[in-house]
Coordinates of all heavy atoms in Angstrom, one line a residue:
S198 N 28.1 -5.2 -13.4 CA 29.2 -4.4 -13.4 C 30.4 -4.8 -14.2 O 31.3 -4.0 -14.5 CB 29.7 -4.2 -11.9 OG 30.1 -5.5 -11.4
S199 N 30.5 -6.0 -14.6 CA 31.7 -6.5 -15.3 C 32.1 -5.7 -16.5 O 33.4 -5.5 -16.7 CB 31.6 -8.0 -15.6 OG 30.6 -8.3 -16.6
P200 N 31.3 -5.3 -17.4 CA 31.7 -4.5 -18.6 C 32.4 -3.2 -18.2 O 33.2 -2.6 -19.0 CB 30.5 -4.3 -19.5 CG 29.5 -5.3 -19.0 CD 29.9 -5.6 -17.6
C201 N 32.0 -2.7 -17.0 CA 32.5 -1.4 -16.6 C 33.6 -1.6 -15.5 O 34.0 -0.5 -14.9 CB 31.3 -0.6 -16.0 SG 30.1 -0.2 -17.2
A202 N 34.0 -2.7 -15.2 CA 35.0 -2.9 -14.2 C 36.3 -2.3 -14.5 O 36.9 -1.8 -13.6 CB 35.0 -4.4 -13.8
P203 N 36.8 -2.5 -15.7 CA 38.1 -1.9 -16.0 C 38.1 -0.4 -15.8 O 37.2 0.3 -16.4 CB 38.5 -2.3 -17.4 CG 37.4 -3.3 -17.8 CD 36.3 -3.2 -16.9
V204 N 39.0 0.2 -15.1 CA 39.1 1.6 -15.0 C 39.4 2.2 -16.4 O 40.2 1.6 -17.1 CB 40.2 2.1 -14.0 CG1 40.5 3.6 -14.1 CG2 39.9 1.6 -12.6
G205 N 38.7 3.2 -16.7 CA 38.8 3.8 -18.1 C 37.6 3.6 -18.9 O 37.6 3.9 -20.1
T206 N 36.5 3.1 -18.3 CA 35.3 2.7 -19.0 C 34.1 3.5 -18.6 O 33.9 3.8 -17.4 CB 35.0 1.2 -18.8 OG1 36.1 0.4 -19.1 CG2 33.8 0.8 -19.6
F207 N 33.3 4.0 -19.5 CA 32.0 4.6 -19.3 C 31.0 3.6 -19.9 O 31.1 3.2 -21.0 CB 31.9 6.0 -19.9 CG 30.5 6.6 -19.7 CD1 30.3 7.3 -18.6 CD2 29.4 6.3 -20.6 CE1 28.9 7.8 -18.4 CE2 28.1 6.8 -20.4 CZ 27.9 7.6 -19.3
C208 N 29.9 3.3 -19.1 CA 28.9 2.4 -19.6 C 27.5 3.0 -19.5 O 27.2 3.6 -18.5 CB 28.8 1.1 -18.7 SG 30.3 0.0 -19.0
A209 N 26.8 3.0 -20.6 CA 25.4 3.4 -20.6 C 24.5 2.1 -20.7 O 24.7 1.3 -21.6 CB 25.2 4.3 -21.9
F210 N 23.6 2.0 -19.8 CA 22.7 0.8 -19.7 C 21.3 1.2 -20.2 O 20.8 2.3 -19.8 CB 22.6 0.3 -18.2 CG 23.9 -0.2 -17.7 CD1 24.8 0.6 -17.2 CD2 24.1 -1.6 -17.8 CE1 26.0 0.2 -16.7 CE2 25.3 -2.1 -17.3 CZ 26.3 -1.2 -16.7
Q211 N 20.7 0.4 -20.9 CA 19.4 0.6 -21.5 C 18.3 0.9 -20.4 O 17.4 1.7 -20.6 CB 19.0 -0.5 -22.3 CG 17.6 -0.5 -23.0 CD 17.3 -1.7 -23.7 OE1 17.8 -2.8 -23.5 NE2 16.4 -1.6 -24.7
Y212 N 18.4 0.1 -19.3 CA 17.4 0.2 -18.2 C 18.0 0.6 -16.9 O 19.2 0.5 -16.7 CB 16.7 -1.1 -18.1 CG 16.0 -1.6 -19.3 CD1 16.2 -2.8 -19.9 CD2 15.0 -0.8 -20.0 CE1 15.5 -3.3 -21.1 CE2 14.3 -1.2 -21.2 CZ 14.6 -2.4 -21.6 OH 14.0 -2.8 -22.8
P213 N 17.1 1.0 -15.9 CA 17.6 1.3 -14.6 C 18.2 0.1 -14.0 O 18.0 -1.0 -14.4 CB 16.3 1.7 -13.8 CG 15.3 2.1 -14.9 CD 15.7 1.3 -16.1
A214 N 19.0 0.3 -12.9 CA 19.6 -0.7 -12.1 C 20.6 -1.5 -12.9 O 20.9 -2.6 -12.7 CB 18.6 -1.6 -11.4
Y215 N 21.2 -0.8 -13.9 CA 22.3 -1.4 -14.7 C 21.9 -2.7 -15.5 O 22.6 -3.7 -15.4 CB 23.6 -1.6 -13.9 CG 23.8 -0.4 -12.9 CD1 23.7 -0.6 -11.5 CD2 24.1 0.8 -13.5 CE1 23.9 0.5 -10.7 CE2 24.3 1.9 -12.7 CZ 24.2 1.7 -11.3 OH 24.4 2.8 -10.5
K216 N 20.7 -2.6 -16.1 CA 20.1 -3.8 -16.8 C 20.0 -3.4 -18.2 O 19.9 -2.3 -18.7 CB 18.9 -4.2 -16.2 CG 19.0 -4.7 -14.8 CD 17.7 -5.1 -14.1 CE 17.9 -5.6 -12.7 NZ 16.6 -5.9 -12.1
G217 N 19.8 -4.5 -19.0 CA 19.5 -4.3 -20.5 C 20.7 -4.3 -21.3 O 21.8 -4.7 -20.8
H218 N 20.6 -3.8 -22.5 CA 21.8 -3.6 -23.4 C 22.7 -2.6 -22.7 O 22.3 -1.7 -22.0 CB 21.3 -3.1 -24.7 CG 20.2 -3.9 -25.4 ND1 20.1 -5.2 -25.2 CD2 19.2 -3.4 -26.2 CE1 19.0 -5.6 -26.0 NE2 18.5 -4.5 -26.6
I219 N 24.0 -2.8 -23.1 CA 25.1 -1.9 -22.6 C 25.9 -1.3 -23.7 O 26.4 -2.1 -24.6 CB 26.0 -2.7 -21.6 CG1 25.2 -3.4 -20.5 CG2 27.1 -1.7 -21.0 CD1 26.1 -4.4 -19.8
I220 N 26.2 0.0 -23.7 CA 27.2 0.6 -24.6 C 28.4 0.9 -23.7 O 28.2 1.6 -22.7 CB 26.7 1.8 -25.2 CG1 25.6 1.5 -26.2 CG2 27.8 2.6 -25.9 CD1 24.9 2.6 -26.9
T221 N 29.6 0.4 -24.0 CA 30.8 0.7 -23.2 C 31.7 1.6 -24.1 O 31.7 1.4 -25.3 CB 31.6 -0.5 -22.8 OG1 32.0 -1.2 -24.0 CG2 30.7 -1.5 -22.0
M222 N 32.3 2.6 -23.5 CA 33.2 3.5 -24.2 C 34.5 3.5 -23.4 O 34.5 3.8 -22.2 CB 32.6 4.9 -24.2 CG 31.2 4.9 -24.9 SD 30.2 6.4 -24.6 CE 31.2 7.7 -25.4
V223 N 35.6 3.2 -24.1 CA 36.9 3.3 -23.5 C 37.8 4.4 -24.1 O 38.6 5.0 -23.4 CB 37.6 1.9 -23.5 CG1 37.0 0.9 -22.6 CG2 37.7 1.4 -24.9
A224 N 37.7 4.6 -25.4 CA 38.4 5.7 -26.1 C 37.6 6.9 -26.0 O 36.4 6.9 -25.9 CB 38.7 5.3 -27.5
C225 N 38.2 8.1 -26.0 CA 37.5 9.3 -26.0 C 36.7 9.5 -27.2 O 37.3 9.5 -28.3 CB 38.6 10.4 -25.9 SG 37.9 12.1 -25.6
Q226 N 35.4 9.6 -27.1 CA 34.6 9.6 -28.3 C 33.2 10.1 -27.9 O 32.8 10.3 -26.8 CB 34.4 8.1 -28.9 CG 33.8 7.2 -27.9 CD 33.7 5.8 -28.4 OE1 32.9 5.6 -29.3 NE2 34.5 4.9 -27.9
T227 N 32.4 10.4 -28.9 CA 31.0 10.7 -28.7 C 30.2 9.6 -29.4 O 30.5 9.2 -30.5 CB 30.6 12.1 -29.4 OG1 31.4 13.1 -28.7 CG2 29.2 12.4 -29.3
R228 N 29.2 9.0 -28.6 CA 28.5 7.9 -29.1 C 27.0 8.2 -29.0 O 26.5 8.8 -28.1 CB 28.9 6.7 -28.2 CG 28.2 5.4 -28.5 CD 28.5 4.6 -29.8 NE 29.9 4.6 -30.2 CZ 30.2 4.6 -31.5 NH1 29.4 4.5 -32.4 NH2 31.5 4.5 -31.8
D229 N 26.2 7.7 -30.1 CA 24.8 7.8 -30.0 C 24.2 6.9 -28.9 O 24.7 5.8 -28.7 CB 24.2 7.4 -31.4 CG 24.4 8.4 -32.4 OD1 24.8 9.6 -32.2 OD2 24.3 8.0 -33.6
I230 N 23.2 7.4 -28.3 CA 22.4 6.6 -27.3 C 21.1 6.3 -28.0 O 20.3 7.1 -28.3 CB 22.1 7.4 -26.0 CG1 23.5 7.7 -25.4 CG2 21.3 6.6 -25.0 CD1 24.4 6.6 -25.0
P231 N 20.9 5.0 -28.3 CA 19.7 4.6 -29.2 C 18.4 4.3 -28.5 O 17.5 3.8 -29.1 CB 20.3 3.4 -29.9 CG 21.2 2.7 -28.8 CD 21.8 3.9 -28.1
W232 N 18.3 4.6 -27.2 CA 17.1 4.2 -26.5 C 16.6 5.4 -25.7 O 17.2 6.5 -25.5 CB 17.3 3.1 -25.5 CG 18.6 3.1 -24.8 CD1 18.8 3.9 -23.7 CD2 19.7 2.3 -25.0 NE1 20.1 3.6 -23.2 CE2 20.7 2.6 -24.0 CE3 20.0 1.3 -25.8 CZ2 21.9 2.1 -23.8 CZ3 21.2 0.7 -25.7 CH2 22.1 1.1 -24.7
N233 N 15.3 5.3 -25.3 CA 14.6 6.4 -24.5 C 14.1 5.8 -23.3 O 14.1 4.6 -23.1 CB 13.4 6.9 -25.3 CG 13.8 7.7 -26.6 OD1 14.5 8.6 -26.4 ND2 13.3 7.3 -27.7
G234 N 13.7 6.7 -22.3 CA 13.1 6.2 -21.1 C 14.2 6.1 -20.0 O 15.3 6.6 -20.2
S235 N 13.8 5.4 -19.0 CA 14.6 5.3 -17.8 C 15.8 4.3 -18.1 O 15.6 3.3 -18.7 CB 13.8 4.7 -16.6 OG 12.9 5.7 -16.2
G236 N 17.0 4.7 -17.6 CA 18.1 3.9 -17.8 C 19.1 4.1 -16.7 O 18.7 4.7 -15.7
S237 N 20.4 3.8 -16.9 CA 21.4 4.0 -15.9 C 22.8 4.1 -16.6 O 22.9 3.8 -17.8 CB 21.4 2.9 -14.9 OG 21.3 1.6 -15.5
W238 N 23.7 4.6 -15.8 CA 25.1 4.7 -16.3 C 26.1 4.5 -15.2 O 25.8 4.7 -14.0 CB 25.3 6.0 -17.1 CG 25.0 7.3 -16.3 CD1 23.8 7.9 -16.4 CD2 25.8 7.9 -15.4 NE1 23.8 9.0 -15.5 CE2 25.1 9.0 -14.9 CE3 27.1 7.7 -14.9 CZ2 25.6 9.9 -14.0 CZ3 27.5 8.6 -14.0 CH2 26.8 9.7 -13.5
I239 N 27.3 4.1 -15.6 CA 28.5 4.0 -14.7 C 29.6 4.7 -15.3 O 30.0 4.4 -16.5 CB 28.9 2.5 -14.4 CG1 27.7 1.8 -13.6 CG2 30.2 2.5 -13.6 CD1 28.0 0.4 -13.4
N240 N 30.2 5.7 -14.6 CA 31.4 6.4 -15.1 C 32.6 5.8 -14.3 O 32.8 6.3 -13.2 CB 31.3 7.9 -14.9 CG 32.4 8.6 -15.3 OD1 33.3 8.1 -15.9 ND2 32.4 10.0 -15.1
N241 N 33.3 4.9 -14.8 CA 34.5 4.3 -14.2 C 35.8 4.6 -15.0 O 36.7 3.8 -15.2 CB 34.3 2.8 -14.1 CG 35.4 2.2 -13.1 OD1 35.9 2.9 -12.3 ND2 35.6 0.9 -13.3
Q242 N 35.8 5.9 -15.4 CA 37.0 6.3 -16.2 C 38.1 6.7 -15.2 O 37.9 6.4 -14.0 CB 36.6 7.5 -17.1 CG 35.5 7.1 -18.1 CD 35.1 8.3 -18.9 OE1 35.7 8.5 -20.0 NE2 34.1 9.0 -18.5
T243 N 39.1 7.2 -15.7 CA 40.2 7.6 -14.8 C 39.6 8.6 -13.8 O 38.7 9.4 -14.1 CB 41.4 8.2 -15.5 OG1 40.9 9.3 -16.3 CG2 42.1 7.2 -16.3

């Protein structure tokens, strides 16, 4: 959870249960998701 702990962060995790590589987004943007299959995400934005 640490990369997504600050409020204002969206995290996309490569695998389920918040595992694997992580893409974090803090500024308003559109970002490519480079993987397929089961994954997970945390929306800890405002």
